[in-house]
Amino acid sequence: MADAVEAAKRAAAKTAVANHYPENARWVGIGSGTTIVYVVEAIKALGVDTSNTRYVPTGYQSRQLIVSAGLTAVEFDAVPAGTVLDVAFDGADEVDDDLNCIKGGGACLFQEKIVAMQAKQFICVADSRKLQSRLLTNWKYVPIEVAPIAAYRVLNKLLELGAINPIIRTNKDPKQGPLKTDQDFFLIDAPFKPLLTKADVANGQDGSGKDGVWEVNLLARAIKQITGVLDVGIFSGLTGPEATAAGGVGGQRPVAAYFGMPDGSVSVRKAL
Ligand SMILES: O=C(CO)[C@H](O)[C@H](O)COP(=O)(O)O
């Protein structure tokens, strides 16, 4: 079973890199987690000249991964102003029908978000367990990065929004206290009822948060507005050219998501 999941991640990574790694890539975002390891493996396997390519990590693990592969890491704050990354690859905890994602299971959501948003193309790579029609189906909570001093205030506000028993994430040994992100912030894991898609709302369902039922974008916005929140592990909204037309770069939603399936195939969902 574990081997099959790893094989699925590797297959998805290989296809995603084959389809989206640009010729003469100059700037490439590299996400965090276990699946991204196979993306770096696939980039190396292309055998292309990477001497002029700079890889932008999304946290400590990601930077170590880049460096140990013999590639050049450049921190996000060392990327020259105005530079657009050619592409950013990353995993996800769950992806819905509209390609909205939950991220942050590995505690790196803030840097993952700024790297994804600075890329012309954000490409998601995962295995089939992550593929669901609605967010919070299999994956049960929204990771939220918060200033430690505001953590209890944010917990209370999340309860008002309908979160069900939100908690501050601790280290594996709870005696060691709250887990700290790469920004030295805390994470709150906030379970909500499954999130509605655009189609659900178009079909008449109420995603305004009444009775704790939220449409994806509305919940992301409501959480982001709580003072004390650095960012939310919901990646939603505009994507690709749509985001660029609105004055951004690539947006938070991937333009394509690749899923390794149990039968060895790779399934692709593309943003409409
Ligand atoms: O968002 C993330 C880290 O914050 C990861 O991309 C997400 O948790 C997926 O990880 P994995 O590839 O190990 O399943």
Side-chain angles (χ1 to χ4, degrees):
M1 168 66 182
D3 283 357
V5 171
E6 294 311 303
K9 293 179 191 174
R10 178 176 269 134
K14 200 171 164 201
T15 309
V17 167
N19 289 352
H20 298 279
Y21 192 84
E23 221 178 296
N24 305 319
R26 181 78 184 86
W27 299 95
V28 177
I30 297 291
S32 322
T34 54
T35 313
I36 199 69
V37 173
Y38 298 114
V39 169
V40 172
E41 179 186 274
I43 291 172
K44 289 292 285 184
L46 289 175
V48 295
D49 178 8
T50 55
S51 57
N52 288 320
T53 313
R54 300 292 172 263
Y55 296 85
V56 184
T58 50
Y60 179 84
Q61 174 240 352
S62 165
R63 184 172 58 248
Q64 297 308 112
L65 179 64
I66 294 167
V67 171
S68 18
L71 304 172
T72 308
V74 171
E75 291 296 326
F76 188 78
D77 61 357
V79 175
T83 299
V84 173
L85 312 186
D86 300 302
V87 64
F89 295 96
D90 204 350
D93 299 310
E94 202 157 68
V95 183
D96 75 5
D97 280 347
D98 296 331
L99 258 61
N100 299 305
C101 303
I102 299 268
K103 292 185 50 54
C108 304
L109 69 94
F110 173 63
Q111 292 193 39
E112 290 175 341
K113 198 173 262 191
I114 54 177
V115 167
M117 291 181 76
Q118 198 57 30
K120 222 181 288 171
Q121 290 191 74
F122 167 35
I123 306 298
C124 181
V125 186
D127 62 83
S128 63
R129 298 170 305 169
K130 315 293 181 69
L131 177 61
Q132 300 293 338
S133 288
R134 293 178 185 78
L135 297 181
L136 301 181
T137 297
N138 200 20
W139 185 266
K140 297 298 182 196
Y141 58 87
V142 179
I144 303 158
E145 187 160 351
V146 301
I149 198 169
Y152 288 110
R153 173 191 146 70
V154 176
L155 278 175
N156 280 329
K157 292 283 173 195
L158 289 167
L159 288 169
E160 286 171 19
L161 295 181
I164 306 149
N165 300 326
I167 53 161
I168 297 173
R169 197 184 298 182
T170 56
N171 282 290
K172 275 216 176 77
D173 176 357
K175 286 201 296 292
Q176 292 173 349
L179 183 139
K180 290 276 191 88
T181 67
D182 287 315
Q183 283 67 242
D184 266 347
F185 271 35
F186 288 176
L187 280 166
I188 290 179
D189 292 329
F192 282 88
K193 294 181 182 163
L195 302 184
L196 304 186
T197 59
K198 266 200 258 174
D200 291 329
V201 173
N203 289 333
Q205 295 195 56
D206 182 359
S208 65
K210 202 167 137 269
D211 302 324
V213 179
W214 287 94
E215 185 272 335
V216 176
N217 291 285
L218 292 181
L219 180 62
R221 211 171 307 146
I223 297 176
K224 179 77 198 242
Q225 277 171 359
I226 302 172
T227 301
V229 168
L230 176 62
D231 225 314
V232 188
I234 296 175
F235 285 41
S236 65
L238 301 179
T239 191
E242 223 187 0
T244 315
V249 185
Q252 302 179 13
R253 258 188 324 141
V255 290
Y258 289 75
F259 301 93
M261 306 306 285
D263 65 1
S265 65
V266 175
S267 168
V268 188
R269 267 186 195 174
K270 292 202 168 144
L272 296 174

